[in-house]
């Protein structure tokens, strides 16, 4: 039976743009180019696209399929499959919540830098400005320091935008927002790309990005990095795609939607890589340095290296605004999807209205995000992000794939998917889920665990890693079982539902 009163997307385009908006995030701009550069350049695309097919698209089809079939957020969907598996849905939902309260602060940084870009407010020393003048970074994670008011104001703006969109609902809020954000984001990146490739030194930057080192494909670590990049960049295994697909109409092409979402996401990563490395090539040429001396990833690339490059560009204010507006839109589209996964789960479980849940969720989320707006916020953000990604997402995804492909009638989902899709999910799909993906995710999970036990992450004090890393991960697991045991008044499904 159809879930009573459940919202739906207005158009297929709206759903695709929302799913793509969730998948395209900050990592597409600041992580993919560096991963390719570090792992064999053009040769990295071989394991990357193999990982896309065998893990990314396979899991995307699975999550679209179960979300569409059971018409609920992640906890309701897993409860419908097996009443004892509801905790897994809550695990993924709580992982999404943990990410939302620090990810929004990075969006706040991007908003602040967008404003500063009109006058290069970071000055001649972007590194010193970012860590000292902007973040007011303290000596360590146990020294939080004071609230940084400009970042707090920008973070509040990000939360208000999220509240307006989420309060407005699926069709009038999330769909409309992504119909605005996504086209603008692609245009911004294309403008940066076109200008970037015409700069002196751009060819050398692109050469470093795409020059193939085929010896790299024989290194198992390169394949692990490729799977990791696909896994983290597609928003799979933390409740989002299950939730978004639950809003699809009955007649929806699941397989084609999954391919389109995944390929558009990867295409955007390629465009961003070209834009970023062409500008880094120009920066290296202007400073008389090698590409490897200026290339980087993550926060350092976005808020230190790129402002340095922007300072050297003609029309610096224009390109600074383009870059940081791109980061803002990419971040907001992902943040909205992360928050929706949590809000939808609470609505399903407890029967609360969207307006009430969205309002209180954003208030609570804003309060918790204040910890990351302090002078020690970057340390907390780094530790929580590392543990939530490497243990919450990876182990949650591994458990999901094993349970659904080995201890559930996967064929029933495949029949449902194929009945509404233009082309079928065939034997390759089941093989990838039952064999390839569990092996790769299992390796990643064990390697991450051994690595963190052997050596403290980034040299942080063990006490800080326990307090802000392990305690958070264990707390998420415990809270997931508590939420499963709690009694709700909403529309939680069970395995006897005839859907």
């Amino acid at each position: 039976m159809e879930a009573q009163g459940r919202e739906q997307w207005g158009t297929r385009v709206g759903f695709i743009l929302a799913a793509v908006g969730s998948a395209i995030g900050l990592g597409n701009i600041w992580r993919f180019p560096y991963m390719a550069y570090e792992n064999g350049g053009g040769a990295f695309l071989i394991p990357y696209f193999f990982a896309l097919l065998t893990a990314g698209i396979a899991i995307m089809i699975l999550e679209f399929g179960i979300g569409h079939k059971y018409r609920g957020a992640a906890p309701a969907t897993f409860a419908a499959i097996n009443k004892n598996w509801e905790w897994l849905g809550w695990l993924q939902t709580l992982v999404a919540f943990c990410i939302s309260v620090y990810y929004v602060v990075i969006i706040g940084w991007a908003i602040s830098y967008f404003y500063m870009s009109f006058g290069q407010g970071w000055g001649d020393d972007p590194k010193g400005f970012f860590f000292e003048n902007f973040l007011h970074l303290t000596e360590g994670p146990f020294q939080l320091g004071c609230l940084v008011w400009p970042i707090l104001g920008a973070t509040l703006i990000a939360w208000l935008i999220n509240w307006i969109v989420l309060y407005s609902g699926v069709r009038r809020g999330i769909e409309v927002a992504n119909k605005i954000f996504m086209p603008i984001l692609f245009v911004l990146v294309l403008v940066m790309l076109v200008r970037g490739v015409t700069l002196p030194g751009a060819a050398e930057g692109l050469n470093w990005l795409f020059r193939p080192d085929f010896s790299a494909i024989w290194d198992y670590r390169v394949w692990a990095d490729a799977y990791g990049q696909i896994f983290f960049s597609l928003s799979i295994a933390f409740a989002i795609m299950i939730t978004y697909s639950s809003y699809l109409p009955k007649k929806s092409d699941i397989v084609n939607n999954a391919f389109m979402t995944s390929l558009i996401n990867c295409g955007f990563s390629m465009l961003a890589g070209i834009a970023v490395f062409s500008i880094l090539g120009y920066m290296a040429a202007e400073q008389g340095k090698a590409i490897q001396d200026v290339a980087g990833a993550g926060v350092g690339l976005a808020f230190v290296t790129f402002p340095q490059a922007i300072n050297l560009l003609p029309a610096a204010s224009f390109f600074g605004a383009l870059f940081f507006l791109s980061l803002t839109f990419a971040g907001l589209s992902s943040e909205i999807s992360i928050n929706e996964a949590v809000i939808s789960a609470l609505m399903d479980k407890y029967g609360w209205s969207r307006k009430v849940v969205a309002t209180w969720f954003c208030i609570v989320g804003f309060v918790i995000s204040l910890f990351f707006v302090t002078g020690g916020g970057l340390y907390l953000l780094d530790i929580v992000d590392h543990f939530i990604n490497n243990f919450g997402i990876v182990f949650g995804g591994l458990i999901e794939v094993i349970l659904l492909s080995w201890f559930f009638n996967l064929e029933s989902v495949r029949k449902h998917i194929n009945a509404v899709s233009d082309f079928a999910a065939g034997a390759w799909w089941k093989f990838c889920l039952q064999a390839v993906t569990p092996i790769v995710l299992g390796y990643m999970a064990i390697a991450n665990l051994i690595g963190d036990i052997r050596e403290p992450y980034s040299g942080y004090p063990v006490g800080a890693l326990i307090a802000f890393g392990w305690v958070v991960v264990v707390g998420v697991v415990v809270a997931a079982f508590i939420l499963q045991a709690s009694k709700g008044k909403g529309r939680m499904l069970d395995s006897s539902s005839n859907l």
Side-chain angles (χ1 to χ4, degrees), residues 360-416:
W360 279 105
F361 173 84
C362 289
I363 292 173
V364 173
F366 172 70
V367 171
I368 296 176
S369 67
L370 294 180
F371 287 99
F372 302 97
V373 181
T374 61
L378 179 61
Y379 300 120
L380 303 188
L381 189 155
D382 189 29
I383 295 172
V384 173
D385 179 69
H386 173 78
F387 278 83
I388 282 294
N389 276 278
N390 285 281
F391 299 107
I393 294 179
V394 173
F395 276 94
L398 176 62
I399 295 169
E400 173 188 316
V401 171
I402 290 175
L403 287 181
L404 293 181
S405 60
W406 285 100
F407 297 96
F408 171 64
N409 183 8
L410 192 61
E411 185 62 24
S412 66
V413 177
R414 191 170 78 92
K415 288 180 179 178
H416 173 82

Side-chain angles (χ1 to χ4, degrees), residues 155-421:
T155 301
L156 178 59
I157 291 172
W159 273 117
L160 285 173
I161 294 171
N162 272 268
W163 175 74
I164 292 169
V165 172
L166 296 165
Y167 186 90
S168 301
V170 172
R171 185 176 302 188
R172 292 186 298 172
I174 300 171
E175 184 170 341
V176 170
N178 280 283
K179 283 182 176 179
I180 297 171
F181 290 164
M182 286 301 99
I184 293 176
L185 177 59
F186 273 86
V187 169
L188 292 174
V189 171
L190 284 172
V191 171
M192 285 195 295
L193 182 152
V194 171
R195 183 63 183 104
V197 298
T198 62
L199 291 169
E204 183 63 19
L206 297 179
N207 184 46
W208 272 94
L209 175 60
F210 290 116
R211 181 171 56 195
D213 175 11
F214 290 106
S215 65
I217 64 175
W218 304 109
D219 187 342
Y220 70 93
R221 290 169 295 188
V222 171
W223 288 81
D225 284 344
Y227 274 89
Q229 176 64 23
I230 287 294
F231 196 73
F232 294 130
S233 72
L234 287 180
S235 294
I236 49 180
F238 50 109
I240 296 172
M241 293 307 177
I242 295 174
T243 302
Y244 269 15
S245 60
S246 72
Y247 300 134
L248 282 169
K250 286 184 176 180
K251 300 296 183 182
S252 298
D253 190 339
I254 299 300
V255 175
N256 200 22
N257 286 344
F259 269 89
M260 289 178 63
T261 301
S262 303
L263 292 174
I264 293 172
N265 171 73
C266 293
F268 180 87
S269 294
M270 298 291 291
L271 295 177
I274 294 171
V276 167
F277 263 80
S278 61
I279 294 174
L280 291 180
Y282 169 77
M283 176 182 175
E286 287 291 301
Q287 296 182 334
K289 296 180 179 179
I291 293 293
Q292 61 264 37
D293 294 329
V294 299
V299 170
L301 172 66
F303 297 100
V304 176
T305 304
F306 236 77
Q308 289 174 340
I310 290 166
N311 285 348
L312 301 172
L313 286 167
S317 296
F318 174 70
F319 285 100
L322 282 183
F323 179 73
F324 289 108
L325 193 59
S326 297
L327 286 184
T328 300
F329 282 156
L332 282 172
S333 61
S334 294
E335 176 74 10
I336 288 166
S337 69
I338 295 168
N339 292 336
E340 175 61 19
V342 185
I343 288 171
S344 182
L346 293 172
M347 290 167 60
D348 280 352
K349 178 77 173 183
Y350 299 105
W352 299 329
S353 73
R354 169 173 290 277
K355 291 178 171 55
V356 170
V357 177
T359 300
W360 279 105
F361 173 84
C362 289
I363 292 173
V364 173
F366 172 70
V367 171
I368 296 176
S369 67
L370 294 180
F371 287 99
F372 302 97
V373 181
T374 61
L378 179 61
Y379 300 120
L380 303 188
L381 189 155
D382 189 29
I383 295 172
V384 173
D385 179 69
H386 173 78
F387 278 83
I388 282 294
N389 276 278
N390 285 281
F391 299 107
I393 294 179
V394 173
F395 276 94
L398 176 62
I399 295 169
E400 173 188 316
V401 171
I402 290 175
L403 287 181
L404 293 181
S405 60
W406 285 100
F407 297 96
F408 171 64
N409 183 8
L410 192 61
E411 185 62 24
S412 66
V413 177
R414 191 170 78 92
K415 288 180 179 178
H416 173 82
I417 292 168
N418 291 344
V420 296
S421 300

Side-chain angles (χ1 to χ4, degrees), residues 61-74:
I61 292 172
L62 174 65
E63 294 199 340
F64 279 2
I66 60 175
H68 183 258
K69 177 178 172 64
Y70 294 105
R71 320 298 286 172

Side-chain angles (χ1 to χ4, degrees), residues 14-96:
F15 166 71
I16 293 294
L17 288 175
V20 168
S22 175
I24 292 177
L26 301 174
N28 295 74
I29 298 174
W30 73 29
R31 191 172 188 268
F32 170 78
Y34 186 77
M35 291 293 291
Y37 159 75
E38 282 282 284
N39 289 283
F44 179 71
L45 298 180
I46 296 173
Y48 179 74
F49 284 110
F50 186 81
L52 172 66
L53 179 64
T54 59
I57 293 176
I59 297 177
M60 187 77 76
I61 292 172
L62 174 65
E63 294 199 340
F64 279 2
I66 60 175
H68 183 258
K69 177 178 172 64
Y70 294 105
R71 320 298 286 172
T77 294
F78 283 109
I81 293 171
N82 186 312
K83 64 181 181 180
N84 296 318
W85 294 357
E86 183 187 334
W87 68 272
L88 178 56
W90 284 115
L91 173 69
Q92 296 183 351
T93 301
L94 291 168
V95 163

